[in-house]
Amino acid sequence: MNPFTMVKEMWRAFFFVWSIQFWRMSLLWTLSILYSHFQLFKASIYSHKIVSYPRCFPSTTPRRPVCVITGATSGLGLATAHQLSKDGYVVVIVGRSEQLLSEAIRKIKGWNEDACLKAFQVDMSSVESIMKFKMSLQQWLLDSDLHCSVQILINNAGILATSPRATAEGYDQMMATNYIGAFALTKLLLPLLECSPVSSRIVNVSSFTHRAVIDMQVDEGTVSGKRFLSSKQYPYANIYEYSKLCLLLFSFELHRQLCLMGKSHQIFVSVADPGVVQTNIMQEVPAILSCLAFSVLKRLRLLQSPQSGINSIIDAALAPPGISGAYFFGGKGRTINSSALSRNAKSALELWETTSNLLSVTPFGVEGKS
């Protein structure tokens, strides 16, 4: 790094530190992850039985099962794709960059030469791109010797954007990627999940940061993120927390809706919280500060590598049939309670209806009806 770039980065870090959003991340997010670990600690100290589930590995006969993973070109998504390829799944990796998808396949093949992989270039912040992916995936399944169904869908794609960016639909890019895209993709793939000859599972990757939200506002301007795009100060930390809370509420409402439709014995929904993992999620934060944060978290023994961080995701993906609506955290098949706000049935239904209305004016409105 040349001196000019170094000085510029230091000034950027200086102004970044003086923002409310930075201190929200530093304080509230640290308290949130500590509280999650406290739940595990408290259960062990007071001899409360921690609810945990063993992993159930798939049968690969007569046809190998299919798993779809979004955000699979790096970090948690890449590590999860590698692990599930070892567990016998045909892994469909989804990412925005064709180059990164090619690199991801090369890496996984290097780790596991028997891996059966398929890559699709998809922008998870674009409804149109997600709809095209659904059609391409369905056609690929029909053309292959695989059963035309999906056994696991892992909604892992997520970003932490520190500046406002709008999608083609006019949504805030962070809300679109972290929540709306997962909502749309899940509803579009439900028929393929339902067609599975064995029970199927949806895993939504959320975050402990959802605990920092204390007031749930549900309206189209907030859910789409449009009201944040014109804000004088872009509240990126608040939006990230809110998007992860929305993903949780969606998960629990989807579980309820499947029960009402009589499909709760066929499609199961779980949430995975990986904890603090050293990935490129902090790439828009000044490098000086992200390195400092990782250093502190490492000293507190809270920081994990992607290979360790995927434990809760794999636990959720391979949970026994019948386990639905659980919040996996801490590995070893363990589950804890998410925030009380995330389990509010009224807010979950309002969010479901608001998101459906929001998408009804897009091409998804016709195809995504259920």
Side-chain angles (χ1 to χ4, degrees), residues 33-95:
I33 186 61
L34 288 174
Y35 181 75
S36 292
H37 281 285
F38 173 72
Q39 285 195 51
L40 296 178
F41 176 75
K42 179 180 168 185
S44 62
I45 287 294
Y46 292 100
S47 300
H48 294 166
K49 187 171 181 179
I50 298 173
V51 180
S52 62
Y53 302 100
R55 293 179 181 178
C56 294
F57 296 92
S59 168
T60 56
T61 56
R63 294 176 178 175
R64 296 179 69 177
V66 176
C67 172
V68 177
I69 307 175
T70 66
T73 56
S74 64
L76 289 167
L78 179 64
T80 301
H82 170 227
Q83 183 58 54
L84 290 175
S85 74
K86 288 170 60 180
D87 291 334
Y89 284 89
V90 175
V91 181
V92 175
I93 61 174
V94 174

Side-chain angles (χ1 to χ4, degrees), residues 6 22 29 31 37 56 62 66 68 107 113 121 157 159 177 182 187 201 203 206 209 238 272 288 341 344 350 362:
M6 187 179 295
F22 170 78
W29 291 13
L31 290 173
H37 281 285
C56 294
V66 176
V68 177
K107 287 178 181 177
E113 61 181 14
Q121 186 178 8
I159 61 170
T177 304
K187 293 199 73 177
R201 182 169 295 277
V203 178
S206 187
T209 59
N238 297 74
I288 298 171
L341 190 57
N344 186 300
E350 286 179 358
T362 70

Side-chain angles (χ1 to χ4, degrees), residues 291-309:
C291 288
L292 178 62
F294 284 142
S295 177
V296 171
L297 290 165
K298 189 174 182 178
R299 287 182 177 275
L300 293 173
R301 296 187 177 181
L302 295 174
L303 186 64
Q304 307 170 87
S305 67
Q307 289 70 30
S308 298

Side-chain angles (χ1 to χ4, degrees), residues 1 5 89 122 138 194 219:
M1 186 182 292
T5 304
Y89 284 89
V122 186
Q138 193 167 28
E194 189 178 351
D219 57 70

Side-chain angles (χ1 to χ4, degrees), residues 167-328:
T167 67
E169 289 85 10
Y171 308 149
D172 172 78
Q173 190 182 43
M174 186 154 42
M175 281 301 301
T177 304
N178 297 4
Y179 166 62
I180 299 173
F183 181 99
L185 179 61
T186 302
K187 293 199 73 177
L188 287 172
L189 294 191
L190 277 177
L192 291 176
L193 289 156
E194 189 178 351
C195 285
S196 173
V198 296
S199 60
S200 55
R201 182 169 295 277
I202 298 161
V203 178
N204 290 325
V205 181
S206 187
S207 166
F208 56 89
T209 59
H210 81 274
R211 299 184 187 280
V213 183
I214 57 174
D215 182 34
M216 184 67 186
Q217 188 173 345
V218 181
D219 57 70
E220 289 193 13
T222 307
V223 174
S224 67
K226 290 180 179 180
R227 77 179 186 91
F228 302 122
L229 293 172
S230 57
S231 300
K232 188 175 181 181
Q233 296 292 329
Y234 185 65
Y236 56 88
N238 297 74
I239 299 170
Y240 185 82
E241 300 158 6
Y242 184 81
S243 68
K244 293 300 183 178
L245 176 61
C246 285
L247 200 54
L248 266 166
L249 287 164
F250 164 58
S251 303
F252 297 143
E253 178 60 20
L254 177 59
H255 167 67
R256 190 184 73 85
Q257 296 264 354
L258 290 170
C259 288
L260 290 175
M261 292 187 288
K263 299 177 183 177
S264 58
H265 65 288
Q266 189 175 2
I267 305 175
F268 308 117
V269 187
S270 296
V271 176
D273 179 349
V276 184
V277 184
Q278 189 165 3
T279 66
N280 61 4
I281 190 75
M282 300 277 283
Q283 63 185 353
E284 294 192 25
V285 174
I288 298 171
L289 299 179
S290 60
C291 288
L292 178 62
F294 284 142
S295 177
V296 171
L297 290 165
K298 189 174 182 178
R299 287 182 177 275
L300 293 173
R301 296 187 177 181
L302 295 174
L303 186 64
Q304 307 170 87
S305 67
Q307 289 70 30
S308 298
I310 64 169
N311 283 328
S312 62
I313 301 176
I314 302 298
D315 288 341
L318 301 183
I323 305 305
S324 193
Y327 184 90
F328 287 83

Side-chain angles (χ1 to χ4, degrees), residues 110-121:
W111 299 325
N112 173 25
E113 61 181 14
D114 297 323
C116 188
L117 308 166
K118 176 65 178 177
F120 287 92
Q121 186 178 8

